[in-house]
Amino acid sequence: MRSIKIGVLGLGNVGAGVLRILREHSQTLEQRVSARIEVKRVLVRDLSRAREIETPEGLLTTDPSEVLEDPEIAVVVELIGGTTTAKQFVERALAAGKHVVTANKALLAEHGDALFQRAQECGRELLFEGAVAGGIPVLRAIRHGLASDRVQRLCGIVNGTSNYVLDKMTREGLAYAEAVAQAQAAGYAEADPSLDVGGVDAAHKLALLASLSFGKRVTLDSIFVEGIESIRAYDLAVAKDLGYVVRSLAIASRGADDRLQLRVHPVLLPHDHVLAGVHGAYNAVLVESEALGRSMYYGQGAGMMPTGVAVTSDIMDVARTILANTAGQASTAEDTAPPQVTRMASVVGASPDTLQHANYLCVHVAHVSGVLGRVATVLGAHGVSIAKMRQDHPEGASHARMVIVTEVVSEAAMAAAITELERGDDCVEATVRIRFMEPEG
Ligand SMILES: NC(=O)c1ccc[n+]([C@@H]2O[C@H](COP(=O)([O-])OP(=O)(O)OC[C@H]3O[C@@H](n4cnc5c(N)ncnc54)[C@H](OP(=O)(O)O)[C@@H]3O)[C@@H](O)[C@H]2O)c1
């Protein structure tokens, strides 16, 4: 049986998952690909570090050229993370005629244009299923299952850390910092969780999802991003009373003028919304397409084995392409990203100012007479109508919390009203603002 040799860059979480699947599922893989997939070399930084998986003598190396320039290696699997060295390694691998598989969303969100272009010039594949929603084969579903349909909107929970934190705060009443600490202890959050809770990681994934769904090149600067850091357990408890849960969503939708709305921010969802039932570190992507209607892709969005499956399935696809090409047949593998993405026109995201939402506001005000009137007057002056309002006094605090639910209003008006509210001396803390999900058509 033919053997296809691969080189792996990185033997951390995902690298160990890939090696384990290649080892434990080797018979299945051989049957499905009709070739043996053999790991020839694995690049690491530190040879003495303890690993999740045992490796045979001589497999590990600290010399990148032993992977990138080995003529026997046909596929390079980039799993080191980061954007600088990873970009150089991917470029070197392509230049040396290797196909590349990666799970690195940051790399593709920042340098995808150049890398897909390079892959196309070199006639090589660059696959990346593991980069979005870990083990959930959502990119395959969009590229293949929905290839004949027209996606109108997608909306997903694509950052497990943010979802875990919000879910813990909602279900157990934990404070934000405590929930983040638990996410770190459980291995869901990095020591520095800012990319996750700040929404940037979700924006990286949205850029990839939206590019494939809408056939336009989406860059990070066209995505409006707001994190979950300002949300408190109190806000989530009030939301629950009102019949809502808060989730951090990545949303892309096609507007009437065919422009895309791209955003990542916390959203109040009715408690019976299908995404409200996504708990813990799970991910889900809800796609609305013209012919199929709604379809949802749900599962583990990170972790050694789930992400390992996505990466290994990409390796198998590349292996099939190699076999088909060397047999002189047309490629039987997927219509891969490079040609699709390089043909795409860049997208100019619609301004978030054009959005309209109902909003939850929690305004922290001093106990001074007339404060209620001032808040109502400021909102009214900006055209913000109040649908509901309630006030309470946190125990031992010298100020009051005013919860206001607004009617639907433009982003611009809401932002201007909050700025003016916070300019007043009676406003003692930053206002928490969470958008309600817009009604679905
Ligand atoms: N973890 C997940 O659940 C998950 C899910 C989806 C996507 N991803 C993506 O998958 C990629 C890998 O993530 P991970 O969690 O597996 O990372 P990780 O656990 O930090 O592992 C990184 C590996 O790369 C090696 N490495 C880093 N820089 C290197 C360099 N300059 N030269 C040589 N080796 C280097 C490290 O070597 P040493 O071990 O010697 O330090 C380590 O083995 C990232 O792009 C990440 O965003 C991860």
Side-chain angles (χ1 to χ4, degrees), residues 9-16 43-47 49-51 61-62 64 78-82 85-86 89 102-107 130-135 190 201 205 301-304 307 311:
L9 307 173
L11 188 56
N13 250 306
V14 183
L43 178 77
V44 294
R45 260 180 314 212
D46 177 2
L47 289 174
R49 200 178 137 184
R51 304 279 161 195
T61 176
T62 54
E78 184 280 304
L79 299 170
I80 65 171
T85 310
F89 284 174
T102 180
N104 191 335
K105 57 256 166 186
L107 174 70
V132 179
E190 305 280 334
D201 174 79
K205 294 165 181 167
M304 179 183 294
T307 314
V311 172

Side-chain angles (χ1 to χ4, degrees), residues 43-350:
L43 178 77
V44 294
R45 260 180 314 212
D46 177 2
L47 289 174
S48 64
R49 200 178 137 184
R51 304 279 161 195
E52 284 287 336
I53 185 163
E54 276 187 31
T55 51
E57 186 79 33
L59 187 75
L60 303 188
T61 176
T62 54
D63 177 359
S65 62
E66 287 193 16
V67 177
L68 300 171
E69 271 87 40
D70 181 333
E72 277 190 0
I73 289 178
V75 186
V76 167
V77 183
E78 184 280 304
L79 299 170
I80 65 171
T83 55
T84 309
T85 310
K87 177 171 182 266
Q88 291 161 4
F89 284 174
V90 169
E91 285 171 339
R92 269 172 70 180
L94 291 169
K98 299 172 191 328
H99 300 280
V100 174
V101 172
T102 180
N104 191 335
K105 57 256 166 186
L107 174 70
L108 295 178
E110 278 180 36
H111 302 297
D113 275 9
L115 293 177
F116 289 127
Q117 182 77 44
R118 196 77 192 100
Q120 193 181 27
E121 286 160 8
C122 298
R124 291 296 176 265
E125 300 206 25
L126 172 53
L127 297 188
F128 54 96
E129 181 67 63
V132 179
I136 311 172
V138 61
L139 300 184
R140 276 191 172 72
I142 290 170
R143 272 205 311 233
H144 298 279
L146 297 178
S148 61
D149 209 347
R150 203 173 126 89
V151 175
Q152 293 297 354
R153 188 168 190 275
L154 62 90
C155 179
I157 294 172
V158 291
N159 184 271
T161 307
S162 294
N163 205 57
Y164 181 92
V165 168
L166 289 173
D167 200 37
K168 275 272 166 188
M169 290 169 72
T170 304
R171 300 218 276 188
E172 296 174 26
L174 298 187
Y176 171 77
E178 211 179 331
V180 169
Q182 287 204 6
Q184 285 165 328
Y188 294 126
E190 305 280 334
D192 173 7
S194 53
L195 276 185
D196 290 324
V197 294
V200 175
D201 174 79
H204 285 149
K205 294 165 181 167
L206 183 65
L208 293 171
L209 274 171
S211 291
L212 289 179
S213 301
F214 298 101
K216 294 186 173 167
R217 247 186 279 180
V218 174
T219 50
L220 277 184
D221 54 10
S222 54
I223 303 177
F224 169 78
V225 180
E226 195 179 280
I228 62 166
E229 304 95 322
S230 66
I231 297 174
R232 302 171 192 211
Y234 173 79
D235 304 307
L236 301 177
V238 175
K240 199 170 172 185
D241 276 359
L242 295 169
Y244 291 83
V245 293
V246 178
R247 295 281 180 257
S248 175
L249 298 187
I251 304 170
S253 55
R254 204 193 288 271
D257 56 358
D258 231 29
R259 290 184 78 173
L260 295 186
Q261 273 289 356
L262 299 152
R263 52 211 163 92
V264 173
H265 58 76
V267 174
L268 283 144
L269 294 170
H271 69 88
D272 58 353
H273 190 282
V274 67
L275 290 173
V278 177
H279 295 290
Y282 273 74
N283 280 197
V285 180
L286 179 62
V287 181
E288 291 168 31
S289 53
E290 261 177 30
L292 175 63
R294 290 174 130 205
S295 55
M296 187 157 110
Y297 310 90
Y298 168 84
Q300 295 193 59
M304 179 183 294
M305 299 308 275
T307 314
V309 167
V311 172
T312 310
S313 296
D314 275 351
I315 296 170
M316 291 167 73
D317 276 336
V318 175
R320 290 191 191 102
T321 305
I322 293 169
L323 291 177
N325 288 344
T326 48
Q329 302 160 6
S331 169
T332 54
E334 307 191 328
D335 177 15
T336 56
Q340 288 183 351
V341 175
T342 48
R343 278 201 302 266
M344 292 173 183
S346 289
V347 70
V348 180

